[in-house]
Amino acid sequence: MLAQIYSCGLNGVDGVVVTVEIDVTSGNPNFFLVGLPDMGVKESKERVYSAINNASFPYPMKRITVNLAPANLKKEGTAYDLPIAVGILIASENMYPTNLEKTMMVGELSLNGDVKGINGILPMVLAAKDQGFDRILIPDANKKEGGVVSGIEVIPVANLVEVVELLQGNPYETYTLDPQEQMNAQKDTSRVDFSEIKGQDNAKRALEIAAAGSHNLLMHGPPGSGKTMLAKAFASILPDMTLDEVLEVSKIYSISGLLPDGHIMSGRPFRSPHHTISNVSLIGGGQYPKPGEVSLAHLGVLYLDELPEFQRSALEVLRQPMEDGSVTISRVHATVTFPASFSLIASMNPCPCGYHQDPHHECTCTQKDIQRYQSKISGPLMDRIDIRVGVPATTYHELERSGEGESSERVKKRVNQARQIQNRRFAKEKGLYFNSQLTPKHLKKYCVLGKNEKTMMETYYNKMKLSARGYHRILKLSRTIADLDGSEKIETKHLLEAVQYRTEID
């Protein structure tokens, strides 16, 4: 007898419907699995056999053929255990289910028949909803993740016996969870507050602009001036995410198995890899491509401390995702595209010893040493950094100044207001969330300059010998500064502030 069960696989960060076909016929007992399965899927034979037996169902001692369609999609992981087991029971006429046409199921089976959690539940549930399925059976361990999707019945299951009873018509309970409640319950209060940082008003202003428009920023200054602390405080002023952004980021963390306690993400990601990171770990890859740090920082921040200490090749692979907002990885078995629209925050010393042009310390580096050190960051990469701000050493009077500075809460309020302006502006633009994502086509529409501003921009373009990319990035930065100012038009003062952030490192 032939049985057909619907399951789900992954292609990048998106779920793909997989049809599991099981044929049980007379013949020598054997198990054949086809449809481009990886080793994890092939091993399902032993798990399914033990799970069926230990759940007290008869396992057919016949010829069993399992086909996973479409055959051109590489099947990975253990999510197909449950549909294979159910299909064998149906094809061997050991159960008679109802309403399978609009039902999807995923889950790993333990040897005793329990259904164990898997990675990637969120994109699978979203795919089931988009493809018109009425219900999806998921592991009980994944219910907090899958339950945030509305418009489809999400049914957590604990074991194979429960699944069989449910499919044969027994009553069941669905699981729903308000995503906003999840987000509110996970507020992070451990981050550095802006009020804890003495002085550095210019750097704080630059970070506020970077947060408001998701711009790339480079801080340079001597050791101990507060660059790392500023970067950590930056996380506390990142704007709140919309529900669409939450789901988009959570999908990446879901397939990577990094969701906190099974909940969806509550805030923007802040990734800070060590400078010894490999190219693959940074950009993503592997035999079967997985997301790297640039994708885990999607719609959030990638912080690179001591930027020149990173491998030159690792820094160069950042150029494409910084420009395109995505990264495409091609391997023998698959070609996938992961989203990677992040804000790069980086910090560096001005020279190997760290004290070039510091009035309080003597620099021991030669001019050649300084040039070699700074040249580790290529021109094309530097051109993609919107804001370059110096972080000088803090004076004694600044450290002892009474009273606290402006809190992160107040700064974040302004950042949120600027982002709300951008959300309204780009409401009809698919995949466009903030100013740094503006393309040349969008710039003509949203960054219109007046006559005086055009004249000034032409002067600076020629004086600073800007590239076309540099010109476009000044326009995007000006648009963000105007949004923070609550101005509909880009004015001269907004352009002047944007231009000062494009200065070269001394």
Side-chain angles (χ1 to χ4, degrees), residues 89-114:
L89 292 176
I90 295 173
S92 60
E93 299 183 339
N94 286 309
M95 66 173 288
Y96 300 93
T98 59
N99 192 25
L100 272 181
E101 294 78 11
K102 292 294 183 178
T103 300
M104 180 183 284
M105 62 185 74
V106 292
E108 176 185 339
L109 289 175
S110 65
L111 299 186
N112 66 355
D114 289 343

mmCIF file with all atom_site columns, all heavy atoms in Angstrom, residues 89-114:
data_model
loop_
_atom_site.group_PDB
_atom_site.id
_atom_site.type_symbol
_atom_site.label_atom_id
_atom_site.label_alt_id
_atom_site.label_comp_id
_atom_site.label_asym_id
_atom_site.label_entity_id
_atom_site.label_seq_id
_atom_site.pdbx_PDB_ins_code
_atom_site.Cartn_x
_atom_site.Cartn_y
_atom_site.Cartn_z
_atom_site.occupancy
_atom_site.B_iso_or_equiv
_atom_site.pdbx_formal_charge
_atom_site.auth_seq_id
_atom_site.auth_comp_id
_atom_site.auth_asym_id
_atom_site.auth_atom_id
_atom_site.pdbx_PDB_model_num
ATOM 1   N N   . LEU A 1 89  ? 3.249   3.184  9.157  1.00 0.00 ? 89  LEU A N   1
ATOM 2   C CA  . LEU A 1 89  ? 2.073   2.639  9.844  1.00 0.00 ? 89  LEU A CA  1
ATOM 3   C C   . LEU A 1 89  ? 0.829   2.694  8.955  1.00 0.00 ? 89  LEU A C   1
ATOM 4   O O   . LEU A 1 89  ? -0.002  1.783  8.965  1.00 0.00 ? 89  LEU A O   1
ATOM 5   C CB  . LEU A 1 89  ? 1.826   3.410  11.148 1.00 0.00 ? 89  LEU A CB  1
ATOM 6   C CG  . LEU A 1 89  ? 2.881   3.227  12.248 1.00 0.00 ? 89  LEU A CG  1
ATOM 7   C CD1 . LEU A 1 89  ? 2.559   4.130  13.431 1.00 0.00 ? 89  LEU A CD1 1
ATOM 8   C CD2 . LEU A 1 89  ? 2.950   1.776  12.695 1.00 0.00 ? 89  LEU A CD2 1
ATOM 9   N N   . ILE A 1 90  ? 0.706   3.773  8.162  1.00 0.00 ? 90  ILE A N   1
ATOM 10  C CA  . ILE A 1 90  ? -0.456  3.887  7.258  1.00 0.00 ? 90  ILE A CA  1
ATOM 11  C C   . ILE A 1 90  ? -0.334  2.894  6.114  1.00 0.00 ? 90  ILE A C   1
ATOM 12  O O   . ILE A 1 90  ? -1.288  2.179  5.783  1.00 0.00 ? 90  ILE A O   1
ATOM 13  C CB  . ILE A 1 90  ? -0.564  5.327  6.711  1.00 0.00 ? 90  ILE A CB  1
ATOM 14  C CG1 . ILE A 1 90  ? -0.857  6.314  7.850  1.00 0.00 ? 90  ILE A CG1 1
ATOM 15  C CG2 . ILE A 1 90  ? -1.654  5.403  5.644  1.00 0.00 ? 90  ILE A CG2 1
ATOM 16  C CD1 . ILE A 1 90  ? -0.805  7.762  7.418  1.00 0.00 ? 90  ILE A CD1 1
ATOM 17  N N   . ALA A 1 91  ? 0.874   2.841  5.494  1.00 0.00 ? 91  ALA A N   1
ATOM 18  C CA  . ALA A 1 91  ? 1.063   1.968  4.333  1.00 0.00 ? 91  ALA A CA  1
ATOM 19  C C   . ALA A 1 91  ? 0.946   0.496  4.698  1.00 0.00 ? 91  ALA A C   1
ATOM 20  O O   . ALA A 1 91  ? 0.596   -0.339 3.851  1.00 0.00 ? 91  ALA A O   1
ATOM 21  C CB  . ALA A 1 91  ? 2.417   2.257  3.682  1.00 0.00 ? 91  ALA A CB  1
ATOM 22  N N   . SER A 1 92  ? 1.256   0.161  5.957  1.00 0.00 ? 92  SER A N   1
ATOM 23  C CA  . SER A 1 92  ? 1.135   -1.238 6.398  1.00 0.00 ? 92  SER A CA  1
ATOM 24  C C   . SER A 1 92  ? -0.245  -1.523 7.006  1.00 0.00 ? 92  SER A C   1
ATOM 25  O O   . SER A 1 92  ? -0.456  -2.590 7.593  1.00 0.00 ? 92  SER A O   1
ATOM 26  C CB  . SER A 1 92  ? 2.230   -1.560 7.414  1.00 0.00 ? 92  SER A CB  1
ATOM 27  O OG  . SER A 1 92  ? 2.128   -0.706 8.547  1.00 0.00 ? 92  SER A OG  1
ATOM 28  N N   . GLU A 1 93  ? -1.140  -0.540 6.891  1.00 0.00 ? 93  GLU A N   1
ATOM 29  C CA  . GLU A 1 93  ? -2.534  -0.666 7.346  1.00 0.00 ? 93  GLU A CA  1
ATOM 30  C C   . GLU A 1 93  ? -2.633  -0.937 8.846  1.00 0.00 ? 93  GLU A C   1
ATOM 31  O O   . GLU A 1 93  ? -3.508  -1.671 9.312  1.00 0.00 ? 93  GLU A O   1
ATOM 32  C CB  . GLU A 1 93  ? -3.253  -1.751 6.546  1.00 0.00 ? 93  GLU A CB  1
ATOM 33  C CG  . GLU A 1 93  ? -3.301  -1.456 5.051  1.00 0.00 ? 93  GLU A CG  1
ATOM 34  C CD  . GLU A 1 93  ? -4.076  -2.510 4.263  1.00 0.00 ? 93  GLU A CD  1
ATOM 35  O OE1 . GLU A 1 93  ? -4.238  -3.631 4.769  1.00 0.00 ? 93  GLU A OE1 1
ATOM 36  O OE2 . GLU A 1 93  ? -4.517  -2.182 3.154  1.00 0.00 ? 93  GLU A OE2 1
ATOM 37  N N   . ASN A 1 94  ? -1.766  -0.289 9.603  1.00 0.00 ? 94  ASN A N   1
ATOM 38  C CA  . ASN A 1 94  ? -1.821  -0.379 11.061 1.00 0.00 ? 94  ASN A CA  1
ATOM 39  C C   . ASN A 1 94  ? -2.480  0.848  11.679 1.00 0.00 ? 94  ASN A C   1
ATOM 40  O O   . ASN A 1 94  ? -2.621  0.926  12.902 1.00 0.00 ? 94  ASN A O   1
ATOM 41  C CB  . ASN A 1 94  ? -0.423  -0.557 11.641 1.00 0.00 ? 94  ASN A CB  1
ATOM 42  C CG  . ASN A 1 94  ? 0.113   -1.960 11.411 1.00 0.00 ? 94  ASN A CG  1
ATOM 43  O OD1 . ASN A 1 94  ? -0.561  -2.945 11.721 1.00 0.00 ? 94  ASN A OD1 1
ATOM 44  N ND2 . ASN A 1 94  ? 1.308   -2.056 10.837 1.00 0.00 ? 94  ASN A ND2 1
ATOM 45  N N   . MET A 1 95  ? -2.861  1.813  10.852 1.00 0.00 ? 95  MET A N   1
ATOM 46  C CA  . MET A 1 95  ? -3.635  2.961  11.317 1.00 0.00 ? 95  MET A CA  1
ATOM 47  C C   . MET A 1 95  ? -4.389  3.545  10.129 1.00 0.00 ? 95  MET A C   1
ATOM 48  O O   . MET A 1 95  ? -4.000  3.363  8.965  1.00 0.00 ? 95  MET A O   1
ATOM 49  C CB  . MET A 1 95  ? -2.728  4.029  11.954 1.00 0.00 ? 95  MET A CB  1
ATOM 50  C CG  . MET A 1 95  ? -1.756  4.709  10.988 1.00 0.00 ? 95  MET A CG  1
ATOM 51  S SD  . MET A 1 95  ? -0.845  6.093  11.726 1.00 0.00 ? 95  MET A SD  1
ATOM 52  C CE  . MET A 1 95  ? -2.151  7.326  11.846 1.00 0.00 ? 95  MET A CE  1
ATOM 53  N N   . TYR A 1 96  ? -5.515  4.230  10.442 1.00 0.00 ? 96  TYR A N   1
ATOM 54  C CA  . TYR A 1 96  ? -6.380  4.783  9.396  1.00 0.00 ? 96  TYR A CA  1
ATOM 55  C C   . TYR A 1 96  ? -6.665  6.252  9.736  1.00 0.00 ? 96  TYR A C   1
ATOM 56  O O   . TYR A 1 96  ? -7.622  6.572  10.438 1.00 0.00 ? 96  TYR A O   1
ATOM 57  C CB  . TYR A 1 96  ? -7.677  3.975  9.294  1.00 0.00 ? 96  TYR A CB  1
ATOM 58  C CG  . TYR A 1 96  ? -7.419  2.520  8.964  1.00 0.00 ? 96  TYR A CG  1
ATOM 59  C CD1 . TYR A 1 96  ? -7.295  1.576  9.975  1.00 0.00 ? 96  TYR A CD1 1
ATOM 60  C CD2 . TYR A 1 96  ? -7.258  2.109  7.645  1.00 0.00 ? 96  TYR A CD2 1
ATOM 61  C CE1 . TYR A 1 96  ? -7.039  0.245  9.684  1.00 0.00 ? 96  TYR A CE1 1
ATOM 62  C CE2 . TYR A 1 96  ? -6.992  0.781  7.342  1.00 0.00 ? 96  TYR A CE2 1
ATOM 63  C CZ  . TYR A 1 96  ? -6.884  -0.146 8.371  1.00 0.00 ? 96  TYR A CZ  1
ATOM 64  O OH  . TYR A 1 96  ? -6.612  -1.460 8.075  1.00 0.00 ? 96  TYR A OH  1
ATOM 65  N N   . PRO A 1 97  ? -5.808  7.149  9.240  1.00 0.00 ? 97  PRO A N   1
ATOM 66  C CA  . PRO A 1 97  ? -5.918  8.561  9.612  1.00 0.00 ? 97  PRO A CA  1
ATOM 67  C C   . PRO A 1 97  ? -7.025  9.293  8.852  1.00 0.00 ? 97  PRO A C   1
ATOM 68  O O   . PRO A 1 97  ? -7.561  8.791  7.852  1.00 0.00 ? 97  PRO A O   1
ATOM 69  C CB  . PRO A 1 97  ? -4.552  9.115  9.209  1.00 0.00 ? 97  PRO A CB  1
ATOM 70  C CG  . PRO A 1 97  ? -4.161  8.271  8.033  1.00 0.00 ? 97  PRO A CG  1
ATOM 71  C CD  . PRO A 1 97  ? -4.693  6.899  8.317  1.00 0.00 ? 97  PRO A CD  1
ATOM 72  N N   . THR A 1 98  ? -7.351  10.466 9.349  1.00 0.00 ? 98  THR A N   1
ATOM 73  C CA  . THR A 1 98  ? -8.311  11.352 8.689  1.00 0.00 ? 98  THR A CA  1
ATOM 74  C C   . THR A 1 98  ? -7.664  12.706 8.439  1.00 0.00 ? 98  THR A C   1
ATOM 75  O O   . THR A 1 98  ? -6.781  13.132 9.185  1.00 0.00 ? 98  THR A O   1
ATOM 76  C CB  . THR A 1 98  ? -9.564  11.556 9.568  1.00 0.00 ? 98  THR A CB  1
ATOM 77  O OG1 . THR A 1 98  ? -9.163  12.130 10.821 1.00 0.00 ? 98  THR A OG1 1
ATOM 78  C CG2 . THR A 1 98  ? -10.277 10.235 9.820  1.00 0.00 ? 98  THR A CG2 1
ATOM 79  N N   . ASN A 1 99  ? -8.097  13.368 7.374  1.00 0.00 ? 99  ASN A N   1
ATOM 80  C CA  . ASN A 1 99  ? -7.667  14.744 7.088  1.00 0.00 ? 99  ASN A CA  1
ATOM 81  C C   . ASN A 1 99  ? -6.150  14.897 7.016  1.00 0.00 ? 99  ASN A C   1
ATOM 82  O O   . ASN A 1 99  ? -5.554  15.760 7.660  1.00 0.00 ? 99  ASN A O   1
ATOM 83  C CB  . ASN A 1 99  ? -8.238  15.702 8.144  1.00 0.00 ? 99  ASN A CB  1
ATOM 84  C CG  . ASN A 1 99  ? -8.068  17.164 7.752  1.00 0.00 ? 99  ASN A CG  1
ATOM 85  O OD1 . ASN A 1 99  ? -7.959  17.483 6.562  1.00 0.00 ? 99  ASN A OD1 1
ATOM 86  N ND2 . ASN A 1 99  ? -8.050  18.048 8.733  1.00 0.00 ? 99  ASN A ND2 1
ATOM 87  N N   . LEU A 1 100 ? -5.499  14.066 6.197  1.00 0.00 ? 100 LEU A N   1
ATOM 88  C CA  . LEU A 1 100 ? -4.054  14.185 6.023  1.00 0.00 ? 100 LEU A CA  1
ATOM 89  C C   . LEU A 1 100 ? -3.666  15.190 4.944  1.00 0.00 ? 100 LEU A C   1
ATOM 90  O O   . LEU A 1 100 ? -2.524  15.651 4.901  1.00 0.00 ? 100 LEU A O   1
ATOM 91  C CB  . LEU A 1 100 ? -3.456  12.823 5.671  1.00 0.00 ? 100 LEU A CB  1
ATOM 92  C CG  . LEU A 1 100 ? -3.033  11.897 6.818  1.00 0.00 ? 100 LEU A CG  1
ATOM 93  C CD1 . LEU A 1 100 ? -2.445  10.620 6.266  1.00 0.00 ? 100 LEU A CD1 1
ATOM 94  C CD2 . LEU A 1 100 ? -2.041  12.575 7.737  1.00 0.00 ? 100 LEU A CD2 1
ATOM 95  N N   . GLU A 1 101 ? -4.640  15.532 4.065  1.00 0.00 ? 101 GLU A N   1
ATOM 96  C CA  . GLU A 1 101 ? -4.306  16.366 2.905  1.00 0.00 ? 101 GLU A CA  1
ATOM 97  C C   . GLU A 1 101 ? -3.792  17.750 3.311  1.00 0.00 ? 101 GLU A C   1
ATOM 98  O O   . GLU A 1 101 ? -2.951  18.334 2.642  1.00 0.00 ? 101 GLU A O   1
ATOM 99  C CB  . GLU A 1 101 ? -5.529  16.539 1.999  1.00 0.00 ? 101 GLU A CB  1
ATOM 100 C CG  . GLU A 1 101 ? -6.005  15.263 1.320  1.00 0.00 ? 101 GLU A CG  1
ATOM 101 C CD  . GLU A 1 101 ? -6.810  14.372 2.270  1.00 0.00 ? 101 GLU A CD  1
ATOM 102 O OE1 . GLU A 1 101 ? -7.168  14.866 3.373  1.00 0.00 ? 101 GLU A OE1 1
ATOM 103 O OE2 . GLU A 1 101 ? -7.073  13.216 1.933  1.00 0.00 ? 101 GLU A OE2 1
ATOM 104 N N   . LYS A 1 102 ? -4.300  18.291 4.407  1.00 0.00 ? 102 LYS A N   1
ATOM 105 C CA  . LYS A 1 102 ? -3.922  19.637 4.848  1.00 0.00 ? 102 LYS A CA  1
ATOM 106 C C   . LYS A 1 102 ? -3.117  19.600 6.145  1.00 0.00 ? 102 LYS A C   1
ATOM 107 O O   . LYS A 1 102 ? -3.126  20.554 6.913  1.00 0.00 ? 102 LYS A O   1
ATOM 108 C CB  . LYS A 1 102 ? -5.178  20.494 5.023  1.00 0.00 ? 102 LYS A CB  1
ATOM 109 C CG  . LYS A 1 102 ? -5.902  20.812 3.735  1.00 0.00 ? 102 LYS A CG  1
ATOM 110 C CD  . LYS A 1 102 ? -5.061  21.711 2.820  1.00 0.00 ? 102 LYS A CD  1
ATOM 111 C CE  . LYS A 1 102 ? -5.812  22.083 1.552  1.00 0.00 ? 102 LYS A CE  1
ATOM 112 N NZ  . LYS A 1 102 ? -5.010  22.992 0.695  1.00 0.00 ? 102 LYS A NZ  1
ATOM 113 N N   . THR A 1 103 ? -2.432  18.465 6.382  1.00 0.00 ? 103 THR A N   1
ATOM 114 C CA  . THR A 1 103 ? -1.653  18.299 7.610  1.00 0.00 ? 103 THR A CA  1
ATOM 115 C C   . THR A 1 103 ? -0.175  18.126 7.281  1.00 0.00 ? 103 THR A C   1
ATOM 116 O O   . THR A 1 103 ? 0.182   17.343 6.411  1.00 0.00 ? 103 THR A O   1
ATOM 117 C CB  . THR A 1 103 ? -2.139  17.078 8.409  1.00 0.00 ? 103 THR A CB  1
ATOM 118 O OG1 . THR A 1 103 ? -3.520  17.252 8.748  1.00 0.00 ? 103 THR A OG1 1
ATOM 119 C CG2 . THR A 1 103 ? -1.327  16.902 9.680  1.00 0.00 ? 103 THR A CG2 1
ATOM 120 N N   . MET A 1 104 ? 0.662   18.867 7.975  1.00 0.00 ? 104 MET A N   1
ATOM 121 C CA  . MET A 1 104 ? 2.114   18.724 7.851  1.00 0.00 ? 104 MET A CA  1
ATOM 122 C C   . MET A 1 104 ? 2.656   18.258 9.191  1.00 0.00 ? 104 MET A C   1
ATOM 123 O O   . MET A 1 104 ? 2.095   18.569 10.247 1.00 0.00 ? 104 MET A O   1
ATOM 124 C CB  . MET A 1 104 ? 2.761   20.056 7.455  1.00 0.00 ? 104 MET A CB  1
ATOM 125 C CG  . MET A 1 104 ? 4.279   20.007 7.312  1.00 0.00 ? 104 MET A CG  1
ATOM 126 S SD  . MET A 1 104 ? 5.005   21.624 6.916  1.00 0.00 ? 104 MET A SD  1
ATOM 127 C CE  . MET A 1 104 ? 4.592   21.750 5.179  1.00 0.00 ? 104 MET A CE  1
ATOM 128 N N   . MET A 1 105 ? 3.744   17.497 9.173  1.00 0.00 ? 105 MET A N   1
ATOM 129 C CA  . MET A 1 105 ? 4.350   17.053 10.430 1.00 0.00 ? 105 MET A CA  1
ATOM 130 C C   . MET A 1 105 ? 5.863   16.985 10.317 1.00 0.00 ? 105 MET A C   1
ATOM 131 O O   . MET A 1 105 ? 6.409   16.635 9.260  1.00 0.00 ? 105 MET A O   1
ATOM 132 C CB  . MET A 1 105 ? 3.781   15.699 10.863 1.00 0.00 ? 105 MET A CB  1
ATOM 133 C CG  . MET A 1 105 ? 4.026   14.550 9.899  1.00 0.00 ? 105 MET A CG  1
ATOM 134 S SD  . MET A 1 105 ? 3.190   13.025 10.410 1.00 0.00 ? 105 MET A SD  1
ATOM 135 C CE  . MET A 1 105 ? 1.488   13.418 10.005 1.00 0.00 ? 105 MET A CE  1
ATOM 136 N N   . VAL A 1 106 ? 6.531   17.356 11.388 1.00 0.00 ? 106 VAL A N   1
ATOM 137 C CA  . VAL A 1 106 ? 8.000   17.308 11.460 1.00 0.00 ? 106 VAL A CA  1
ATOM 138 C C   . VAL A 1 106 ? 8.397   16.878 12.871 1.00 0.00 ? 106 VAL A C   1
ATOM 139 O O   . VAL A 1 106 ? 7.658   17.115 13.831 1.00 0.00 ? 106 VAL A O   1
ATOM 140 C CB  . VAL A 1 106 ? 8.642   18.675 11.144 1.00 0.00 ? 106 VAL A CB  1
ATOM 141 C CG1 . VAL A 1 106 ? 8.457   19.052 9.695  1.00 0.00 ? 106 VAL A CG1 1
ATOM 142 C CG2 . VAL A 1 106 ? 8.074   19.767 12.053 1.00 0.00 ? 106 VAL A CG2 1
ATOM 143 N N   . GLY A 1 107 ? 9.543   16.244 12.999 1.00 0.00 ? 107 GLY A N   1
ATOM 144 C CA  . GLY A 1 107 ? 10.023  15.876 14.321 1.00 0.00 ? 107 GLY A CA  1
ATOM 145 C C   . GLY A 1 107 ? 10.991  14.712 14.288 1.00 0.00 ? 107 GLY A C   1
ATOM 146 O O   . GLY A 1 107 ? 10.918  13.851 13.407 1.00 0.00 ? 107 GLY A O   1
ATOM 147 N N   . GLU A 1 108 ? 11.903  14.710 15.234 1.00 0.00 ? 108 GLU A N   1
ATOM 148 C CA  . GLU A 1 108 ? 12.852  13.608 15.393 1.00 0.00 ? 108 GLU A CA  1
ATOM 149 C C   . GLU A 1 108 ? 12.291  12.601 16.388 1.00 0.00 ? 108 GLU A C   1
ATOM 150 O O   . GLU A 1 108 ? 11.644  12.978 17.373 1.00 0.00 ? 108 GLU A O   1
ATOM 151 C CB  . GLU A 1 108 ? 14.190  14.141 15.906 1.00 0.00 ? 108 GLU A CB  1
ATOM 152 C CG  . GLU A 1 108 ? 15.221  13.063 16.191 1.00 0.00 ? 108 GLU A CG  1
ATOM 153 C CD  . GLU A 1 108 ? 16.495  13.611 16.808 1.00 0.00 ? 108 GLU A CD  1
ATOM 154 O OE1 . GLU A 1 108 ? 16.755  14.816 16.650 1.00 0.00 ? 108 GLU A OE1 1
ATOM 155 O OE2 . GLU A 1 108 ? 17.220  12.827 17.453 1.00 0.00 ? 108 GLU A OE2 1
ATOM 156 N N   . LEU A 1 109 ? 12.519  11.329 16.140 1.00 0.00 ? 109 LEU A N   1
ATOM 157 C CA  . LEU A 1 109 ? 12.053  10.275 17.038 1.00 0.00 ? 109 LEU A CA  1
ATOM 158 C C   . LEU A 1 109 ? 13.208  9.709  17.853 1.00 0.00 ? 109 LEU A C   1
ATOM 159 O O   . LEU A 1 109 ? 14.293  9.455  17.309 1.00 0.00 ? 109 LEU A O   1
ATOM 160 C CB  . LEU A 1 109 ? 11.400  9.138  16.251 1.00 0.00 ? 109 LEU A CB  1
ATOM 161 C CG  . LEU A 1 109 ? 10.033  9.434  15.624 1.00 0.00 ? 109 LEU A CG  1
ATOM 162 C CD1 . LEU A 1 109 ? 9.579   8.246  14.777 1.00 0.00 ? 109 LEU A CD1 1
ATOM 163 C CD2 . LEU A 1 109 ? 8.992   9.764  16.684 1.00 0.00 ? 109 LEU A CD2 1
ATOM 164 N N   . SER A 1 110 ? 12.966  9.545  19.143 1.00 0.00 ? 110 SER A N   1
ATOM 165 C CA  . SER A 1 110 ? 13.924  8.815  19.965 1.00 0.00 ? 110 SER A CA  1
ATOM 166 C C   . SER A 1 110 ? 13.597  7.333  19.855 1.00 0.00 ? 110 SER A C   1
ATOM 167 O O   . SER A 1 110 ? 12.560  6.945  19.304 1.00 0.00 ? 110 SER A O   1
ATOM 168 C CB  . SER A 1 110 ? 13.839  9.277  21.418 1.00 0.00 ? 110 SER A CB  1
ATOM 169 O OG  . SER A 1 110 ? 12.570  8.953  21.964 1.00 0.00 ? 110 SER A OG  1
ATOM 170 N N   . LEU A 1 111 ? 14.443  6.491  20.383 1.00 0.00 ? 111 LEU A N   1
ATOM 171 C CA  . LEU A 1 111 ? 14.237  5.051  20.232 1.00 0.00 ? 111 LEU A CA  1
ATOM 172 C C   . LEU A 1 111 ? 13.010  4.538  20.976 1.00 0.00 ? 111 LEU A C   1
ATOM 173 O O   . LEU A 1 111 ? 12.456  3.501  20.618 1.00 0.00 ? 111 LEU A O   1
ATOM 174 C CB  . LEU A 1 111 ? 15.481  4.299  20.726 1.00 0.00 ? 111 LEU A CB  1
ATOM 175 C CG  . LEU A 1 111 ? 16.791  4.599  19.980 1.00 0.00 ? 111 LEU A CG  1
ATOM 176 C CD1 . LEU A 1 111 ? 17.908  3.687  20.483 1.00 0.00 ? 111 LEU A CD1 1
ATOM 177 C CD2 . LEU A 1 111 ? 16.616  4.458  18.479 1.00 0.00 ? 111 LEU A CD2 1
ATOM 178 N N   . ASN A 1 112 ? 12.551  5.276  21.984 1.00 0.00 ? 112 ASN A N   1
ATOM 179 C CA  . ASN A 1 112 ? 11.357  4.830  22.717 1.00 0.00 ? 112 ASN A CA  1
ATOM 180 C C   . ASN A 1 112 ? 10.061  5.418  22.166 1.00 0.00 ? 112 ASN A C   1
ATOM 181 O O   . ASN A 1 112 ? 8.989   5.232  22.737 1.00 0.00 ? 112 ASN A O   1
ATOM 182 C CB  . ASN A 1 112 ? 11.486  5.161  24.201 1.00 0.00 ? 112 ASN A CB  1
ATOM 183 C CG  . ASN A 1 112 ? 11.497  6.669  24.454 1.00 0.00 ? 112 ASN A CG  1
ATOM 184 O OD1 . ASN A 1 112 ? 11.494  7.470  23.515 1.00 0.00 ? 112 ASN A OD1 1
ATOM 185 N ND2 . ASN A 1 112 ? 11.528  7.064  25.716 1.00 0.00 ? 112 ASN A ND2 1
ATOM 186 N N   . GLY A 1 113 ? 10.156  6.172  21.058 1.00 0.00 ? 113 GLY A N   1
ATOM 187 C CA  . GLY A 1 113 ? 8.959   6.716  20.425 1.00 0.00 ? 113 GLY A CA  1
ATOM 188 C C   . GLY A 1 113 ? 8.638   8.146  20.790 1.00 0.00 ? 113 GLY A C   1
ATOM 189 O O   . GLY A 1 113 ? 7.659   8.716  20.278 1.00 0.00 ? 113 GLY A O   1
ATOM 190 N N   . ASP A 1 114 ? 9.443   8.779  21.661 1.00 0.00 ? 114 ASP A N   1
ATOM 191 C CA  . ASP A 1 114 ? 9.220   10.190 21.984 1.00 0.00 ? 114 ASP A CA  1
ATOM 192 C C   . ASP A 1 114 ? 9.603   11.069 20.795 1.00 0.00 ? 114 ASP A C   1
ATOM 193 O O   . ASP A 1 114 ? 10.508  10.736 20.019 1.00 0.00 ? 114 ASP A O   1
ATOM 194 C CB  . ASP A 1 114 ? 10.052  10.606 23.197 1.00 0.00 ? 114 ASP A CB  1
ATOM 195 C CG  . ASP A 1 114 ? 9.524   9.999  24.492 1.00 0.00 ? 114 ASP A CG  1
ATOM 196 O OD1 . ASP A 1 114 ? 8.368   9.552  24.495 1.00 0.00 ? 114 ASP A OD1 1
ATOM 197 O OD2 . ASP A 1 114 ? 10.275  9.969  25.484 1.00 0.00 ? 114 ASP A OD2 1
#
